[in-house]
């Protein structure tokens, strides 16, 4: 069964610093990959997704992620964070042909001034 | 275009009572998914429905939980005889067609507290 591991449960960074949130998945079959953001007491909002093609994916709010098939990773990055980026970030995977998303445990990103 | 709507946003039940959670998908979306988020954990898939059909309920507990998506009206997640372990946030998502690589749009969630 597919599983997703987000290696860091919490990541504190200073404002305007770069950040990387790590995500690894288990299955070697063809997959679709997603990053969602959850602000307090809200639902999830899609940041970006990888379906095929270029392994570097750009999303909203200045975020990007790189798909690495050999390392089964899909790490999320932002070169300069803002206070408003404080939120919980979830990596998710779905096997091609499957409908359900399998989520990681989440990484809480805290931005300090 | 309204997003996915869920109600109630907060629900408090005593042990043994029933909880009914409602989800209205985005306009034009015929596929609905329910996920559960336990405290300090990620979301776990429960069930996937199309209009009047349950397609995949592999994540749904075998007892006390049921889901429906009638021809008319919202999707309903029903939990009978709730226990404290059912306390969680329940999220509904919808998509216009088979999700696959398509985005699932999430509602704001219903936070269930069982006393």
């Amino acid at each position: 069964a597919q599983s997703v591991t987000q290696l860091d449960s919490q990541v504190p960074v200073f404002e305007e610093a770069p950040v990387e949130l790590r995500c690894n998945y288990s299955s070697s079959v063809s997959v679709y990959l997603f990053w969602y953001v959850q602000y307090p007491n809200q639902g999830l909002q899609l940041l970006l997704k990888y379906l095929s093609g270029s392994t570097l994916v750009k999303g909203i709010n200045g975020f990007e992620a790189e798909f690495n098939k050999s390392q089964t990773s899909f790490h999320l990055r932002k070169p300069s964070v803002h206070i408003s980026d404080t939120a919980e970030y979830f990596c998710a995977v779905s096997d091609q042909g499957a409908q359900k998303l399998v989520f990681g445990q989440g990484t809480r990103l805290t931005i300090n001034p | 275009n309204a997003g996915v709507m869920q109600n109630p946003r907060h629900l408090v039940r005593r042990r043994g009572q029933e909880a009914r959670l409602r989800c209205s998908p985005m306009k034009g979306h015929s596929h609905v998914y329910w996920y559960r988020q336990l405290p300090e954990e990620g979301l776990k898939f429960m069930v996937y429905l199309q209009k009047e059909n349950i397609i995949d309920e592999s994540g749904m507990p075998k007892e006390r939980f049921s889901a429906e998506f009638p021809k008319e009206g919202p999707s309903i997640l029903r939990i009978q005889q709730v226990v404290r372990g059912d306390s969680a946030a329940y999220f509904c998502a919808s998509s216009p067609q088979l999700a696959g690589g398509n985005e699932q749009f999430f509602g704001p969630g219903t936070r269930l507290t069982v006393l």
Side-chain angles (χ1 to χ4, degrees):
Chain A
Q2 182 70 267
S3 67
V4 178
T5 301
Q6 291 183 241
L7 296 161
D8 306 295
S9 59
Q10 296 189 57
V11 173
V13 295
F14 287 106
E15 195 172 14
E16 298 184 7
V19 69
E20 179 179 78
L21 306 184
R22 296 179 292 171
C23 172
N24 288 86
Y25 60 97
S26 62
S27 176
S28 60
V29 301
S30 297
V31 295
Y32 298 129
L33 296 153
F34 306 81
W35 275 98
Y36 281 86
V37 60
Q38 183 181 31
Y39 298 104
N41 297 316
Q42 294 187 27
L44 279 69
Q45 180 183 3
L46 183 68
L47 275 178
L48 48 79
K49 62 182 179 183
Y50 171 79
L51 305 182
S52 64
S54 173
T55 57
L56 183 62
V57 180
K58 294 192 182 296
I60 62 171
N61 301 343
F63 284 93
E64 64 181 31
E66 185 155 20
F67 169 57
N68 188 319
K69 187 174 182 179
S70 63
Q71 297 187 6
T72 60
S73 68
F74 190 55
H75 300 332
L76 181 71
R77 292 191 287 261
K78 185 170 182 178
S80 176
V81 295
H82 189 266
I83 291 284
S84 59
D85 293 323
T86 296
E88 189 96 19
Y89 291 79
F90 292 97
C91 180
V93 174
S94 73
D95 292 336
Q96 288 187 20
Q99 305 310 311
K100 64 183 181 184
L101 293 172
V102 178
F103 284 87
Q105 305 93 314
T107 296
R108 185 163 298 169
L109 178 61
T110 305
I111 312 299
N112 299 308
Chain B
N1 187 13
V4 177
M5 300 178 69
Q6 291 187 248
N7 67 81
R9 293 290 307 273
H10 300 274
L11 182 61
V12 179
R13 285 287 178 266
R14 296 189 181 280
R15 281 178 295 170
Q17 291 184 318
E18 178 179 286
R20 281 186 179 237
L21 289 62
R22 296 175 188 77
C23 168
S24 296
M26 287 182 70
K27 187 175 181 179
H29 289 195
S30 58
H31 300 254
V32 166
Y33 313 80
W34 285 94
Y35 293 84
R36 176 165 64 175
Q37 184 180 31
L38 294 170
E40 306 300 321
E41 294 187 16
L43 281 73
K44 296 285 194 295
F45 169 80
M46 298 181 75
V47 62
Y48 159 47
L49 310 101
Q50 294 179 31
K51 282 286 188 181
E52 299 184 276
N53 290 302
I54 295 174
I55 307 302
D56 180 358
E57 55 182 349
S58 59
M60 191 98 93
K62 293 291 186 283
E63 297 179 352
R64 302 187 298 108
F65 286 73
S66 63
E68 62 178 12
F69 189 17
K71 187 176 180 181
E72 302 290 338
S75 175
I76 305 286
L77 179 68
R78 182 183 178 204
I79 312 173
Q80 294 178 291
Q81 299 175 345
V82 296
V83 300
R84 289 213 173 117
D86 297 332
S87 294
Y90 292 82
F91 290 95
C92 168
S94 72
S95 65
Q97 53 196 10
L98 291 179
N102 295 301
E103 179 181 355
Q104 292 183 22
F105 294 81
F106 283 81
T110 294
R111 280 154 182 82
L112 172 65
T113 301
V114 180
L115 302 178

